[in-house]
């Protein structure tokens, strides 16, 4: 085997070793703050959008002549809920008012994006941590994308809090009583949806808190540390 073939063989083996090293499982990352925070991100992102999409409630409007029961569920387009009831010899439409789908869908989309990004970055931490540590752009990109998701959580939670307030208002018995003064109105509890809003703001706090740990992985922090280190003289 000549020197060219030998050199090519050595390079090939080095490349294979580099791939194996980069694909080595690094579960120790979950002992670090950035790994622990990602576990929290994953869990609470799912909790936030699951409590929103899995919620159901009811509104009952009834009088001596009719009874209309509505089921309220995601994405909360109440203005699409219409019931036809018989009142004497006539048919009347009983309906709800308000459309809060844009706020709810924005919140849920934020949760799904956060969950998917968390899965992707966990895979990156576990399988490609050597690459994460050696490539300057990867920690910076992780920091930037985490900032964007944190902003989405703040915006989505604020929007959904506003939407939930409107949802509670339009289904309040007093509000519906103005539209149907001769009927009694019964509405279920929205406590579970209130929890979803709290989870949204909790997610914002968790993602924002993680920025400090991610910042410490970037060259910005490392360069600042090297500049601030005292110079020792012999």
């Amino acid at each position: 085997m000549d020197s060219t073939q030998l050199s090519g063989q050595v390079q090939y083996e080095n490349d294979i070793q580099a791939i194996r090293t980069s694909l080595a499982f690094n579960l120790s990352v979950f002992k670090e703050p950035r790994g622990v925070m990602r576990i929290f991100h994953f869990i609470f992102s799912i909790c936030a959008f699951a409590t929103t999409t899995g919620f159901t409630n009811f509104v009952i409007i009834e009088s001596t002549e009719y009874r209309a029961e509505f089921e309220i569920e995601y994405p909360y387009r109440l203005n699409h809920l219409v019931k036809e009831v018989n009142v004497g010899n006539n048919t009347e439409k009983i309906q709800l008012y308000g459309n809060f789908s844009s706020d709810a869908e924005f919140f849920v989309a934020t949760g799904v994006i956060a969950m998917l990004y968390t899965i992707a970055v966990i895979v990156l931490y576990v399988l490609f941590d050597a690459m994460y540590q050696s490539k300057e752009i990867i920690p910076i990109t992780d920091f930037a994308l985490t900032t964007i998701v944190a902003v989405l959580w703040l915006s989505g939670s604020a929007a959904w809090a506003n939407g939930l307030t409107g949802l509670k208002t339009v289904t309040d018995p007093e509000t519906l009583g103005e539209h149907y003064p001769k009927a009694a109105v019964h509405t279920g509890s929205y406590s579970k949806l209130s929890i979803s809003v709290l989870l949204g703001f909790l997610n914002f706090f968790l993602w924002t808190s993680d920025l400090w740990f991610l910042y410490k992985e970037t060259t910005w922090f490392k360069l600042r540390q090297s500049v601030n280190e005292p110079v020792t003289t012999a």
Side-chain angles (χ1 to χ4, degrees):
M1 180 181 295
D2 58 29
S3 60
T4 303
Q5 291 176 325
L6 180 60
S7 177
Q9 180 68 21
V10 171
Q11 182 62 39
Y12 173 76
E13 291 178 356
N14 289 339
D15 291 341
I16 293 298
Q17 183 61 35
I19 294 174
R20 288 175 178 173
T21 302
S22 66
L23 287 175
F25 281 85
N26 179 31
L27 298 180
S28 63
V29 71
F30 295 114
K31 297 179 182 179
E32 302 175 22
R34 62 186 174 114
V36 174
M37 292 299 292
R38 292 306 183 185
I39 295 175
F40 288 144
H41 293 168
F42 180 75
I43 294 173
F44 286 104
S45 294
I46 293 176
C47 290
F49 72 76
T51 52
T52 305
T53 58
F55 176 80
T56 57
N57 200 3
F58 68 88
V59 172
I60 299 175
I61 302 174
E62 59 182 347
S63 70
T64 55
E65 298 179 304
Y66 65 84
R67 175 186 171 91
E69 185 170 349
F70 301 90
E71 185 177 22
I72 299 173
E73 58 186 0
Y74 180 81
Y76 310 109
R77 295 188 179 96
L78 272 61
N79 56 345
H80 290 188
L81 301 179
V82 181
K83 298 280 186 178
E84 291 188 350
V85 296
N86 295 321
V87 180
N89 296 325
N90 301 319
T91 300
E92 294 187 6
K93 290 184 178 181
I94 307 297
Q95 67 182 69
L96 301 182
Y97 303 90
N99 186 343
F100 309 96
S101 59
S102 60
D103 295 333
E105 288 170 347
F106 180 27
F107 183 77
V108 170
T110 298
V112 172
I113 290 171
M115 180 194 69
L116 293 177
Y117 179 70
T118 302
I119 293 173
V121 83
I122 285 176
V123 172
L124 176 64
Y125 290 170
V126 173
L127 295 181
F128 303 98
D129 193 54
M131 184 187 302
Y132 186 95
Q133 299 294 340
S134 61
K135 302 283 188 181
E136 296 179 359
I137 190 63
I138 297 179
I140 292 175
T141 302
D142 187 20
F143 178 85
L145 292 177
T146 300
T147 302
I148 292 173
V149 175
V151 173
L152 286 175
W153 272 122
L154 178 61
S155 303
S157 300
W160 179 224
N162 180 69
L164 179 57
T165 300
L167 178 61
K168 291 178 178 179
T169 299
V170 298
T171 56
D172 184 83
E174 291 186 5
T175 303
L176 287 173
E178 296 176 0
H179 296 280
Y180 307 102
K182 297 181 180 180
V185 180
H186 308 281
T187 306
S189 171
Y190 288 98
S191 58
K192 188 177 179 181
L193 279 189
S194 298
I195 293 174
S196 72
V197 173
L198 295 177
L199 287 170
F201 285 109
L202 174 61
N203 273 289
F204 167 68
F205 171 77
L206 290 173
W207 284 74
T208 304
S209 301
D210 194 28
L211 291 176
W212 168 245
F213 304 116
L214 297 180
Y215 172 68
K216 293 174 69 174
E217 300 292 329
T218 66
T219 54
W220 302 330
F221 178 81
K222 294 175 182 178
L223 288 173
R224 185 177 180 181
Q225 288 294 100
S226 63
V227 170
N228 291 335
E229 286 180 357
V231 178
T232 58
T233 58

